[in-house]
Structure formats: C-alpha cells, structure tokens
Amino acid sequence: MELVYPLLALVAAYLIGSLSFAVIVSRAMGLADPRTYGSHNPGATNVLRSGSRKAAVATLALDALKGYLPVLAVLVWGPRVGLGPDTAAWVGVAAFVGHVWPVFFRFQGGKGVATAAGVLFALNPVLGAFTLASFAIVLYFFRYVSLASIVAALFAPFYQLLIWGADTTVVAIALMSLLLVWRHESNIRKLLAGTESRFGQKAAASPPPGRGSHGHKHH
C-alpha cells in the first residue's frame, strides 16, 4: 500500500499534464491548430503567432496551472496519506512529462516552459520568482522566448542547490531542465543560425517539420 498513493499521484499528474491546452483552447476559439503553423509547437508562444492574445494568455495560464495544481495538491493533502515534498517534486516531473508527451495527443506535446514554471512556483514560490525573473530579463534584452526559456531552465536547479541545498527537489528540477533544453534543440540551431523568430512575431501556416515539399531546406 505504501506505493499505491505515490503511483496514483504520478499517474494523475501525467494525465493532467497530457491536456494540451494550446490545441484545446485554439479549437474552442475557432483558431487554427497550433501544430500547423509557426514552430508547430503546441504552446502559448506559438498560439500567440495566430494573432489572438486571448488564446495565448489562456493557454499560458492553463499550461502553468496543470503543473502547479498537482504539486500543490500533494503538498496540501499528501501528508494525510504519507506523501511528502519528495513525492510532490516527482509529481511535478510527471505533469511536465505529460505536457511533453501527452497520451491524449499522440505523445506529440509542447516544450513544457509554462508547465515547468507552474511546478516551480508550487514547489517553492521564491524559486519560481527567481527563475521567472531570469526569464524576463533575457526576454527583455534579446526578445527570444526560446533563449529566455533555456537560460531560466539552466539557472533553476542552481538556484535551488545554492540557496536551499541539495535534495530530491534539485534532482527533479534538474531533470525537467535538461528535458526542456533538449526540447529546444531546433531553437538552439535556429538561434545559432540567426533564423529564430522573435517574441510576438506572427507566422503563416506551413507544413510540419519533415513534411515539406520534396525535402528542400531553407538556409
């Protein structure tokens, strides 16, 4: 029985994380599927490229909440069934993994920035604030959401380690950070090539990666 509650919490968090709100919100508002234009990423930044700020804000808020609420639930109600902060940290990872590989959307999800932010704020609001500040500073000066996300992801585990010490939370945050950076591989290549889209830039519909006409590459 000791493993039942942690497993249930992990599965529930993964299923909640698997709700791809970029797609759900876009459908509800009559917008194009975010997987068919721009970066083809089902996330708030790409939804913003549709021209609808309301849809982008709704996506951002809901994606953050699906990381925040499962962790908060474990921290608030978990102790009644023997679940502690360590379980809460891994529940956060499960929600993040659900966003990246959603079972309801053919395991084709987003990059997890908003969901990871929600997890951090639930685990440690101060850590979340520091990480968000790092994101905002980089975004303000460089105007690249991808660069700001990568820098913030790399700083998050170091903030936790240096200020609050080494524990399971550091390992969970580091794992999320590594996955998030890995999910930005294509953005890193575009940043190095100088072809990455800046924040708020609209993008026309185009075929998903790998489905371009005759495999022509654009330099």
Side-chain angles (χ1 to χ4, degrees):
M1 287 296 293
E2 292 182 0
L3 292 176
V4 172
Y5 290 116
L7 287 175
L8 287 175
L10 290 170
V11 171
Y14 170 76
L15 293 176
I16 292 171
S18 290
L19 297 171
S20 186
F21 285 112
V23 179
I24 295 171
V25 169
S26 293
R27 286 177 182 172
M29 297 183 69
L31 301 173
D33 190 318
R35 296 169 295 182
T36 64
Y37 60 81
S39 65
H40 308 283
N41 177 62
T45 302
N46 203 38
V47 171
L48 182 61
R49 294 189 178 108
S50 72
S52 175
R53 292 186 179 182
K54 290 182 179 180
V57 170
T59 299
L60 179 66
L62 291 169
D63 278 350
L65 281 174
K66 72 182 184 183
Y68 182 84
L69 293 177
V71 175
L72 183 66
V74 172
L75 292 174
V76 173
W77 294 295
R80 301 178 185 178
V81 291
L83 303 182
D86 289 354
T87 303
W90 291 111
V91 160
V93 174
F96 175 83
V97 169
H99 178 84
V100 175
W101 293 290
V103 67
F104 304 126
F105 294 85
R106 302 178 186 176
F107 301 101
Q108 298 172 352
K111 292 170 184 174
V113 177
T115 303
V119 171
L120 293 183
F121 271 101
L123 288 174
N124 186 334
V126 178
L127 171 63
F130 284 171
T131 306
L132 180 60
S134 301
F135 174 90
I137 291 170
V138 176
L139 180 62
Y140 177 80
F141 283 105
F142 296 98
R143 306 298 294 174
Y144 291 115
V145 173
S146 56
L147 180 62
S149 301
I150 292 166
V151 171
L154 293 174
F155 271 82
F158 287 104
Y159 287 146
Q160 177 68 26
L161 181 63
L162 293 175
I163 300 174
W164 292 279
D167 56 14
T168 302
T169 302
V170 174
V171 178
I173 293 173
L175 178 59
M176 280 196 304
S177 298
L178 290 173
L179 285 172
L180 191 149
V181 172
W182 174 67
R183 291 288 288 176
H184 280 82
E185 178 190 2
S186 62
N187 301 91
I188 293 172
R189 286 191 270 107
K190 290 179 182 177
L191 285 167
L192 293 174
T195 58
E196 177 71 320
S197 299
R198 292 184 182 271
F199 178 65
Q201 181 177 333
K202 291 185 180 181
S206 58
R211 297 183 185 179
S213 58
H214 307 295
H216 290 307
K217 295 182 179 180
H218 299 277
H219 297 280

